Structures are given as C-alpha cells and as structure tokens.
PDB file of all heavy atoms in Angstrom:
ATOM      1  N   THR A 954     -13.283  -4.453   0.610  1.00 96.00           N
ATOM      2  CA  THR A 954     -13.243  -4.318   2.061  1.00 96.00           C
ATOM      3  C   THR A 954     -12.543  -3.021   2.450  1.00 96.00           C
ATOM      4  O   THR A 954     -11.602  -2.580   1.771  1.00 96.00           O
ATOM      5  CB  THR A 954     -12.523  -5.516   2.715  1.00 96.00           C
ATOM      6  OG1 THR A 954     -12.515  -5.354   4.139  1.00 96.00           O
ATOM      7  CG2 THR A 954     -11.097  -5.655   2.215  1.00 96.00           C
ATOM      8  N   ASP A 955     -13.013  -2.428   3.539  1.00 96.00           N
ATOM      9  CA  ASP A 955     -12.337  -1.233   4.058  1.00 96.00           C
ATOM     10  C   ASP A 955     -11.373  -1.597   5.179  1.00 96.00           C
ATOM     11  O   ASP A 955     -10.848  -0.727   5.866  1.00 96.00           O
ATOM     12  CB  ASP A 955     -13.355  -0.203   4.551  1.00 96.00           C
ATOM     13  CG  ASP A 955     -14.239  -0.737   5.678  1.00 96.00           C
ATOM     14  OD1 ASP A 955     -14.102  -1.936   6.031  1.00 96.00           O
ATOM     15  OD2 ASP A 955     -15.075   0.029   6.200  1.00 96.00           O
ATOM     16  N   ARG A 956     -11.143  -2.910   5.315  1.00 96.00           N
ATOM     17  CA  ARG A 956     -10.191  -3.377   6.339  1.00 96.00           C
ATOM     18  C   ARG A 956      -9.049  -4.119   5.626  1.00 96.00           C
ATOM     19  O   ARG A 956      -8.823  -5.298   5.827  1.00 96.00           O
ATOM     20  CB  ARG A 956     -10.889  -4.271   7.364  1.00 96.00           C
ATOM     21  CG  ARG A 956     -11.975  -3.528   8.153  1.00 96.00           C
ATOM     22  CD  ARG A 956     -12.428  -4.333   9.350  1.00 96.00           C
ATOM     23  NE  ARG A 956     -13.231  -5.493   8.953  1.00 96.00           N
ATOM     24  CZ  ARG A 956     -13.637  -6.433   9.820  1.00 96.00           C
ATOM     25  NH1 ARG A 956     -13.296  -6.345  11.103  1.00 96.00           N
ATOM     26  NH2 ARG A 956     -14.377  -7.434   9.406  1.00 96.00           N
ATOM     27  N   LEU A 957      -8.368  -3.375   4.791  1.00 97.00           N
ATOM     28  CA  LEU A 957      -7.302  -3.932   3.957  1.00 97.00           C
ATOM     29  C   LEU A 957      -5.940  -3.474   4.457  1.00 97.00           C
ATOM     30  O   LEU A 957      -5.719  -2.292   4.671  1.00 97.00           O
ATOM     31  CB  LEU A 957      -7.507  -3.487   2.501  1.00 97.00           C
ATOM     32  CG  LEU A 957      -6.388  -3.803   1.506  1.00 97.00           C
ATOM     33  CD1 LEU A 957      -6.220  -5.307   1.341  1.00 97.00           C
ATOM     34  CD2 LEU A 957      -6.679  -3.130   0.156  1.00 97.00           C
ATOM     35  N   THR A 958      -5.032  -4.439   4.602  1.00 97.00           N
ATOM     36  CA  THR A 958      -3.641  -4.150   4.933  1.00 97.00           C
ATOM     37  C   THR A 958      -2.760  -4.739   3.840  1.00 97.00           C
ATOM     38  O   THR A 958      -2.880  -5.928   3.517  1.00 97.00           O
ATOM     39  CB  THR A 958      -3.245  -4.758   6.293  1.00 97.00           C
ATOM     40  OG1 THR A 958      -4.112  -4.233   7.311  1.00 97.00           O
ATOM     41  CG2 THR A 958      -1.808  -4.422   6.634  1.00 97.00           C
ATOM     42  N   VAL A 959      -1.896  -3.908   3.271  1.00 96.00           N
ATOM     43  CA  VAL A 959      -0.998  -4.350   2.214  1.00 96.00           C
ATOM     44  C   VAL A 959       0.408  -4.417   2.773  1.00 96.00           C
ATOM     45  O   VAL A 959       0.955  -3.406   3.236  1.00 96.00           O
ATOM     46  CB  VAL A 959      -1.063  -3.392   1.004  1.00 96.00           C
ATOM     47  CG1 VAL A 959      -0.070  -3.833  -0.071  1.00 96.00           C
ATOM     48  CG2 VAL A 959      -2.480  -3.356   0.430  1.00 96.00           C
ATOM     49  N   LEU A 960       0.989  -5.617   2.728  1.00 96.00           N
ATOM     50  CA  LEU A 960       2.347  -5.826   3.222  1.00 96.00           C
ATOM     51  C   LEU A 960       3.284  -6.008   2.041  1.00 96.00           C
ATOM     52  O   LEU A 960       3.207  -7.011   1.318  1.00 96.00           O
ATOM     53  CB  LEU A 960       2.406  -7.062   4.128  1.00 96.00           C
ATOM     54  CG  LEU A 960       1.455  -7.084   5.337  1.00 96.00           C
ATOM     55  CD1 LEU A 960       1.646  -8.367   6.131  1.00 96.00           C
ATOM     56  CD2 LEU A 960       1.687  -5.860   6.212  1.00 96.00           C
ATOM     57  N   VAL A 961       4.148  -5.041   1.828  1.00 95.00           N
ATOM     58  CA  VAL A 961       5.130  -5.112   0.744  1.00 95.00           C
ATOM     59  C   VAL A 961       6.408  -5.697   1.325  1.00 95.00           C
ATOM     60  O   VAL A 961       7.040  -5.108   2.212  1.00 95.00           O
ATOM     61  CB  VAL A 961       5.398  -3.718   0.147  1.00 95.00           C
ATOM     62  CG1 VAL A 961       6.394  -3.832  -1.000  1.00 95.00           C
ATOM     63  CG2 VAL A 961       4.103  -3.085  -0.338  1.00 95.00           C
ATOM     64  N   ALA A 962       6.783  -6.892   0.846  1.00 94.00           N
ATOM     65  CA  ALA A 962       7.944  -7.599   1.407  1.00 94.00           C
ATOM     66  C   ALA A 962       9.226  -6.829   1.158  1.00 94.00           C
ATOM     67  O   ALA A 962       9.347  -6.055   0.192  1.00 94.00           O
ATOM     68  CB  ALA A 962       8.027  -8.994   0.794  1.00 94.00           C
ATOM     69  N   ALA A 963      10.187  -7.045   2.021  1.00 93.00           N
ATOM     70  CA  ALA A 963      11.488  -6.412   1.883  1.00 93.00           C
ATOM     71  C   ALA A 963      12.114  -6.783   0.546  1.00 93.00           C
ATOM     72  O   ALA A 963      12.056  -7.937   0.115  1.00 93.00           O
ATOM     73  CB  ALA A 963      12.402  -6.854   3.028  1.00 93.00           C
ATOM     74  N   GLY A 964      12.685  -5.793  -0.131  1.00 92.00           N
ATOM     75  CA  GLY A 964      13.350  -6.025  -1.409  1.00 92.00           C
ATOM     76  C   GLY A 964      12.467  -5.847  -2.619  1.00 92.00           C
ATOM     77  O   GLY A 964      12.966  -5.865  -3.750  1.00 92.00           O
ATOM     78  N   VAL A 965      11.156  -5.656  -2.441  1.00 93.00           N
ATOM     79  CA  VAL A 965      10.256  -5.454  -3.571  1.00 93.00           C
ATOM     80  C   VAL A 965      10.264  -3.976  -3.952  1.00 93.00           C
ATOM     81  O   VAL A 965       9.985  -3.114  -3.117  1.00 93.00           O
ATOM     82  CB  VAL A 965       8.822  -5.904  -3.238  1.00 93.00           C
ATOM     83  CG1 VAL A 965       7.884  -5.602  -4.402  1.00 93.00           C
ATOM     84  CG2 VAL A 965       8.798  -7.399  -2.917  1.00 93.00           C
ATOM     85  N   GLU A 966      10.599  -3.687  -5.188  1.00 92.00           N
ATOM     86  CA  GLU A 966      10.665  -2.299  -5.644  1.00 92.00           C
ATOM     87  C   GLU A 966       9.261  -1.801  -5.991  1.00 92.00           C
ATOM     88  O   GLU A 966       8.559  -2.409  -6.790  1.00 92.00           O
ATOM     89  CB  GLU A 966      11.575  -2.189  -6.866  1.00 92.00           C
ATOM     90  CG  GLU A 966      13.035  -2.529  -6.579  1.00 92.00           C
ATOM     91  CD  GLU A 966      13.923  -2.326  -7.792  1.00 92.00           C
ATOM     92  OE1 GLU A 966      13.409  -1.846  -8.824  1.00 92.00           O
ATOM     93  OE2 GLU A 966      15.123  -2.654  -7.711  1.00 92.00           O
ATOM     94  N   VAL A 967       8.864  -0.705  -5.358  1.00 92.00           N
ATOM     95  CA  VAL A 967       7.547  -0.132  -5.605  1.00 92.00           C
ATOM     96  C   VAL A 967       7.686   1.366  -5.849  1.00 92.00           C
ATOM     97  O   VAL A 967       8.680   1.987  -5.458  1.00 92.00           O
ATOM     98  CB  VAL A 967       6.599  -0.392  -4.420  1.00 92.00           C
ATOM     99  CG1 VAL A 967       6.279  -1.874  -4.305  1.00 92.00           C
ATOM    100  CG2 VAL A 967       7.211   0.118  -3.122  1.00 92.00           C
ATOM    101  N   ASP A 968       6.677   1.926  -6.490  1.00 91.00           N
ATOM    102  CA  ASP A 968       6.677   3.346  -6.803  1.00 91.00           C
ATOM    103  C   ASP A 968       6.099   4.135  -5.623  1.00 91.00           C
ATOM    104  O   ASP A 968       4.980   3.872  -5.174  1.00 91.00           O
ATOM    105  CB  ASP A 968       5.825   3.576  -8.061  1.00 91.00           C
ATOM    106  CG  ASP A 968       5.818   5.028  -8.467  1.00 91.00           C
ATOM    107  OD1 ASP A 968       6.837   5.481  -9.017  1.00 91.00           O
ATOM    108  OD2 ASP A 968       4.783   5.684  -8.234  1.00 91.00           O
ATOM    109  N   ASP A 969       6.876   5.101  -5.128  1.00 92.00           N
ATOM    110  CA  ASP A 969       6.441   5.861  -3.957  1.00 92.00           C
ATOM    111  C   ASP A 969       5.145   6.610  -4.223  1.00 92.00           C
ATOM    112  O   ASP A 969       4.274   6.709  -3.350  1.00 92.00           O
ATOM    113  CB  ASP A 969       7.536   6.846  -3.533  1.00 92.00           C
ATOM    114  CG  ASP A 969       8.743   6.138  -2.917  1.00 92.00           C
ATOM    115  OD1 ASP A 969       8.568   4.976  -2.488  1.00 92.00           O
ATOM    116  OD2 ASP A 969       9.837   6.730  -2.885  1.00 92.00           O
ATOM    117  N   ALA A 970       4.971   7.129  -5.427  1.00 94.00           N
ATOM    118  CA  ALA A 970       3.749   7.859  -5.747  1.00 94.00           C
ATOM    119  C   ALA A 970       2.529   6.940  -5.693  1.00 94.00           C
ATOM    120  O   ALA A 970       1.448   7.337  -5.238  1.00 94.00           O
ATOM    121  CB  ALA A 970       3.871   8.501  -7.119  1.00 94.00           C
ATOM    122  N   GLU A 971       2.727   5.722  -6.156  1.00 93.00           N
ATOM    123  CA  GLU A 971       1.626   4.752  -6.115  1.00 93.00           C
ATOM    124  C   GLU A 971       1.257   4.429  -4.671  1.00 93.00           C
ATOM    125  O   GLU A 971       0.074   4.349  -4.320  1.00 93.00           O
ATOM    126  CB  GLU A 971       2.043   3.468  -6.868  1.00 93.00           C
ATOM    127  CG  GLU A 971       0.920   2.466  -7.045  1.00 93.00           C
ATOM    128  CD  GLU A 971       1.341   1.252  -7.877  1.00 93.00           C
ATOM    129  OE1 GLU A 971       2.540   1.140  -8.222  1.00 93.00           O
ATOM    130  OE2 GLU A 971       0.472   0.420  -8.179  1.00 93.00           O
ATOM    131  N   LEU A 972       2.269   4.259  -3.847  1.00 94.00           N
ATOM    132  CA  LEU A 972       2.000   3.994  -2.426  1.00 94.00           C
ATOM    133  C   LEU A 972       1.270   5.164  -1.783  1.00 94.00           C
ATOM    134  O   LEU A 972       0.360   4.974  -0.961  1.00 94.00           O
ATOM    135  CB  LEU A 972       3.302   3.724  -1.685  1.00 94.00           C
ATOM    136  CG  LEU A 972       4.077   2.461  -2.099  1.00 94.00           C
ATOM    137  CD1 LEU A 972       5.354   2.335  -1.279  1.00 94.00           C
ATOM    138  CD2 LEU A 972       3.221   1.214  -1.932  1.00 94.00           C
ATOM    139  N   ALA A 973       1.668   6.384  -2.151  1.00 94.00           N
ATOM    140  CA  ALA A 973       1.025   7.569  -1.583  1.00 94.00           C
ATOM    141  C   ALA A 973      -0.446   7.636  -1.978  1.00 94.00           C
ATOM    142  O   ALA A 973      -1.311   8.008  -1.165  1.00 94.00           O
ATOM    143  CB  ALA A 973       1.760   8.824  -2.043  1.00 94.00           C
ATOM    144  N   THR A 974      -0.746   7.262  -3.212  1.00 95.00           N
ATOM    145  CA  THR A 974      -2.145   7.250  -3.663  1.00 95.00           C
ATOM    146  C   THR A 974      -2.969   6.261  -2.848  1.00 95.00           C
ATOM    147  O   THR A 974      -4.104   6.552  -2.449  1.00 95.00           O
ATOM    148  CB  THR A 974      -2.216   6.893  -5.165  1.00 95.00           C
ATOM    149  OG1 THR A 974      -1.508   7.874  -5.912  1.00 95.00           O
ATOM    150  CG2 THR A 974      -3.661   6.826  -5.637  1.00 95.00           C
ATOM    151  N   MET A 975      -2.376   5.102  -2.597  1.00 95.00           N
ATOM    152  CA  MET A 975      -3.082   4.089  -1.810  1.00 95.00           C
ATOM    153  C   MET A 975      -3.322   4.583  -0.386  1.00 95.00           C
ATOM    154  O   MET A 975      -4.429   4.438   0.164  1.00 95.00           O
ATOM    155  CB  MET A 975      -2.266   2.788  -1.789  1.00 95.00           C
ATOM    156  CG  MET A 975      -2.130   2.112  -3.132  1.00 95.00           C
ATOM    157  SD  MET A 975      -1.069   0.660  -3.031  1.00 95.00           S
ATOM    158  CE  MET A 975      -0.936   0.246  -4.760  1.00 95.00           C
ATOM    159  N   ALA A 976      -2.298   5.129   0.207  1.00 94.00           N
ATOM    160  CA  ALA A 976      -2.424   5.610   1.583  1.00 94.00           C
ATOM    161  C   ALA A 976      -3.474   6.713   1.679  1.00 94.00           C
ATOM    162  O   ALA A 976      -4.271   6.764   2.624  1.00 94.00           O
ATOM    163  CB  ALA A 976      -1.074   6.103   2.086  1.00 94.00           C
ATOM    164  N   ALA A 977      -3.481   7.606   0.680  1.00 95.00           N
ATOM    165  CA  ALA A 977      -4.454   8.693   0.691  1.00 95.00           C
ATOM    166  C   ALA A 977      -5.884   8.175   0.567  1.00 95.00           C
ATOM    167  O   ALA A 977      -6.839   8.821   1.021  1.00 95.00           O
ATOM    168  CB  ALA A 977      -4.152   9.672  -0.434  1.00 95.00           C
ATOM    169  N   ALA A 978      -6.026   6.990  -0.040  1.00 95.00           N
ATOM    170  CA  ALA A 978      -7.345   6.382  -0.201  1.00 95.00           C
ATOM    171  C   ALA A 978      -7.736   5.528   1.000  1.00 95.00           C
ATOM    172  O   ALA A 978      -8.759   4.833   0.959  1.00 95.00           O
ATOM    173  CB  ALA A 978      -7.370   5.535  -1.468  1.00 95.00           C
ATOM    174  N   GLY A 979      -6.908   5.544   2.043  1.00 94.00           N
ATOM    175  CA  GLY A 979      -7.255   4.835   3.265  1.00 94.00           C
ATOM    176  C   GLY A 979      -6.732   3.422   3.363  1.00 94.00           C
ATOM    177  O   GLY A 979      -7.114   2.673   4.273  1.00 94.00           O
ATOM    178  N   VAL A 980      -5.829   3.048   2.471  1.00 95.00           N
ATOM    179  CA  VAL A 980      -5.266   1.697   2.524  1.00 95.00           C
ATOM    180  C   VAL A 980      -4.072   1.696   3.471  1.00 95.00           C
ATOM    181  O   VAL A 980      -3.196   2.566   3.390  1.00 95.00           O
ATOM    182  CB  VAL A 980      -4.834   1.223   1.125  1.00 95.00           C
ATOM    183  CG1 VAL A 980      -4.204  -0.171   1.201  1.00 95.00           C
ATOM    184  CG2 VAL A 980      -6.023   1.211   0.167  1.00 95.00           C
ATOM    185  N   ASP A 981      -4.026   0.726   4.360  1.00 96.00           N
ATOM    186  CA  ASP A 981      -2.908   0.565   5.285  1.00 96.00           C
ATOM    187  C   ASP A 981      -1.787  -0.162   4.547  1.00 96.00           C
ATOM    188  O   ASP A 981      -1.841  -1.385   4.358  1.00 96.00           O
ATOM    189  CB  ASP A 981      -3.363  -0.236   6.503  1.00 96.00           C
ATOM    190  CG  ASP A 981      -2.252  -0.429   7.535  1.00 96.00           C
ATOM    191  OD1 ASP A 981      -1.153   0.131   7.345  1.00 96.00           O
ATOM    192  OD2 ASP A 981      -2.489  -1.154   8.522  1.00 96.00           O
ATOM    193  N   VAL A 982      -0.789   0.589   4.088  1.00 96.00           N
ATOM    194  CA  VAL A 982       0.314   0.018   3.325  1.00 96.00           C
ATOM    195  C   VAL A 982       1.570   0.023   4.195  1.00 96.00           C
ATOM    196  O   VAL A 982       1.951   1.060   4.755  1.00 96.00           O
ATOM    197  CB  VAL A 982       0.579   0.825   2.039  1.00 96.00           C
ATOM    198  CG1 VAL A 982       1.689   0.161   1.218  1.00 96.00           C
ATOM    199  CG2 VAL A 982      -0.682   0.938   1.199  1.00 96.00           C
TER     200      VAL A 982
END
C-alpha cells in the first residue's frame, strides 16, 4: 500500500539512517 503510516512507540530504539531511508521512499514514519 502507498498509504502506510509507521508509528514507532516511545522508548523504542531505532536507527536514524533506517528511518531516513523509509521517509525518502515515501513512508510516513
């Protein structure tokens, strides 16, 4: 789907570079 929203809960450790890749691909993170 191109209507995807990813909600990362507070306290979950994620990689900023990975998030940037997702955002660049059009994912609403």
Side-chain angles (χ1 to χ4, degrees):
T954 181
D955 60 357
R956 297 193 288 173
L957 172 64
T958 302
V959 177
L960 304 180
V961 181
V965 176
E966 295 184 4
V967 292
D968 182 75
D969 289 340
E971 187 176 6
L972 295 180
T974 299
M975 294 176 187
V980 178
D981 181 4
V982 183

